[in-house]
Amino acid sequence: MKFRLMCLSSLLALIPVNAGEVLKFGDTDEDYVMIKPDMQPFTEAFSVCSWIRKWRSGTDKTWFSYAASKSLSNEIFLHDDGGRNTVFGSHGTNVRSGAGVEIGEWYHYCLAWSYSSNRADIYHDGSRSGSVSTPGGRKLTANGYIVLGQDQDDYGGGFESRQAFGGELYKLNVFSKKLSTLDVGKMYMAGRCSDIEKELYNDTRQLKWEEILRQPRAGNVKSTDDYDCFIEQHLLVELDYLRTTLNATQTELEETKKSKEEISERLNETLTELEAKEEELQEVKAGLSRQACFTNTSHWDVLYTTPFFNKVLTAETLNILDRSWEKLGYFKGTLITESLITFFKTYFYDGHDNCEAKPMIKGPNNGMS
């Protein structure tokens, strides 16, 4: 468990420090970000996309403006409620034609244009809310200024407090292509906290949000953390970690189950083998028992000793033996031989072995002379 917690901590450390960084603008003519990027990649096609949160009421609050020169100060300027979406000075479509903009609520916005189509399309929360024609043969003029948070009534200036944005921007990117309805829809559906701009469109993302965050800021423009996105990414990392842990646990469980089945199979084989060995042992015991019937010693074996073997059974010999051997009296005068001893052991059971005894005879009529 300690190792897993360390792994989770390592994963959380991978979340970028600016993962949820938002630019919040003040509401005076001194609050803005001015950039002079290379605009050449955008002269024949561009898409300006951002997540926007409007905080000031009114219809003339400008969050993005691009001026190419003093006479071309309205190449692009965009209001935060969609009231004006200007390209080449052509006042066009209203984003509210498709949906309204609520104060304090995040929404996704894209303006997409191309020289080949001579049209600028406006998207609000993934849906096209309007379209406007642009002058034929007109390309975007390069070498200008982009100002965030103010409308440029002059080239790089002419700001007014009444037009100050005063809202928040997040993940503003400018692409060097006209994004399609499908592209914009994917971007919106992926959500504010996703990295879809990097994952799918990074090759045309010429002006990046990460670069914008590093630009100098004038007046009251602050970078704040979007804790919603930070928490979401934190939870996504934890979810990925838990998925990985779950998959590893399932794999381990399957391996354990397989190992258990193999052990159970080996155990059954061992039990079968043990039963076979027990049967074999019983057969061996039975064989040894049968063999013992012929090999067990008894007190008749004393007749093999020197005082008796190959000697005539006499009164003196009987006296030497135990008086309890009265049955020997029937064989007085008989030579003690191996045949006689075997006869005694076979027909006179002495209780010293486990073999079934033969019936005792009561007289000398035993067929022996």
Side-chain angles (χ1 to χ4, degrees), residues 50-69:
S50 181
W51 289 90
I52 305 168
R53 180 149 63 172
K54 177 180 176 65
W55 282 112
R56 300 182 71 195
S57 61
T59 61
D60 57 352
K61 309 303 182 263
T62 304
W63 66 273
F64 183 100
S65 67
Y66 172 66
S69 65

Side-chain angles (χ1 to χ4, degrees), residues 1 13 20 24 30 35 41-44 50-51 57 111 168-169 247 257 267 272 304 309 322 336 346 349 354:
M1 178 60 73
K24 183 175 179 58
E30 297 180 351
I35 312 168
F42 309 115
T43 56
E44 294 191 11
S50 181
W51 289 90
S57 61
L111 165 65
E168 295 174 85
L169 297 179
N247 291 336
K257 182 180 179 181
L267 179 61
T272 301
Y304 281 112
F309 192 67
D322 192 279
I336 298 175
T346 302
Y349 176 58
N354 295 323

Side-chain angles (χ1 to χ4, degrees), residues 99-226:
V101 174
E102 300 294 333
I103 291 180
E105 298 293 331
W106 284 105
Y107 69 93
H108 187 255
Y109 176 95
C110 275
L111 165 65
W113 168 84
S114 71
Y115 172 77
S116 60
S117 69
N118 287 325
R119 296 199 65 83
D121 297 323
I122 308 298
Y123 295 89
H124 175 273
D125 284 347
S127 298
R128 188 166 61 184
S129 58
S131 182
V132 63
S133 296
T134 58
R138 179 75 152 80
K139 296 182 180 181
L140 185 70
T141 305
N143 301 319
Y145 287 102
I146 290 177
V147 174
L148 307 180
Q150 279 287 347
D151 177 19
Q152 299 180 67
D153 291 335
D154 199 353
Y155 183 55
F159 305 142
E160 298 180 29
S161 292
R162 66 180 181 85
Q163 295 177 327
F165 173 41
E168 295 174 85
L169 297 179
Y170 184 48
K171 289 193 174 178
L172 166 59
N173 295 281
V174 184
F175 304 87
S176 60
K177 65 173 286 188
K178 183 180 182 181
L179 295 175
S180 67
T181 300
L182 180 61
D183 293 331
V184 177
K186 285 181 179 178
M187 201 175 294
Y188 168 68
M189 291 302 295
R192 192 172 86 251
C193 304
S194 76
D195 283 325
I196 189 171
E197 299 89 353
K198 296 180 183 179
E199 294 168 357
L200 297 185
Y201 309 108
N202 206 46
D203 57 335
T204 59
R205 197 170 63 109
Q206 298 295 331
L207 180 56
K208 301 177 175 64
W209 178 240
E210 306 93 279
E211 297 170 356
I212 293 172
L213 290 173
R214 293 194 294 266
Q215 298 302 312
R217 304 164 193 170
N220 184 23
V221 180
K222 297 180 179 179
S223 172
T224 62
D225 290 326
D226 187 336

Side-chain angles (χ1 to χ4, degrees), residues 48 50 93 106 112 140 162 243 258 290 319 324-325 341:
V48 179
S50 181
T93 187
W106 284 105
L140 185 70
R162 66 180 181 85
R243 284 199 190 101
K258 183 178 180 181
R290 288 191 297 270
N319 190 47
S324 62
W325 295 18
I341 297 171

Side-chain angles (χ1 to χ4, degrees), residues 7 15 23-24 27 169 208 233 242 277 282 312 329:
C7 290
I15 299 177
L23 282 184
K24 183 175 179 58
D27 55 6
L169 297 179
K208 301 177 175 64
Q233 291 191 349
L242 291 174
K277 292 296 182 182
Q282 292 300 326
V312 176

Side-chain angles (χ1 to χ4, degrees), residues 7-16 230 233-235 237-238:
C7 290
L8 179 57
S9 299
S10 300
L11 289 173
L12 293 176
L14 297 177
I15 299 177
F230 182 82
Q233 291 191 349
H234 187 287
L235 292 175
V237 169
E238 286 197 48

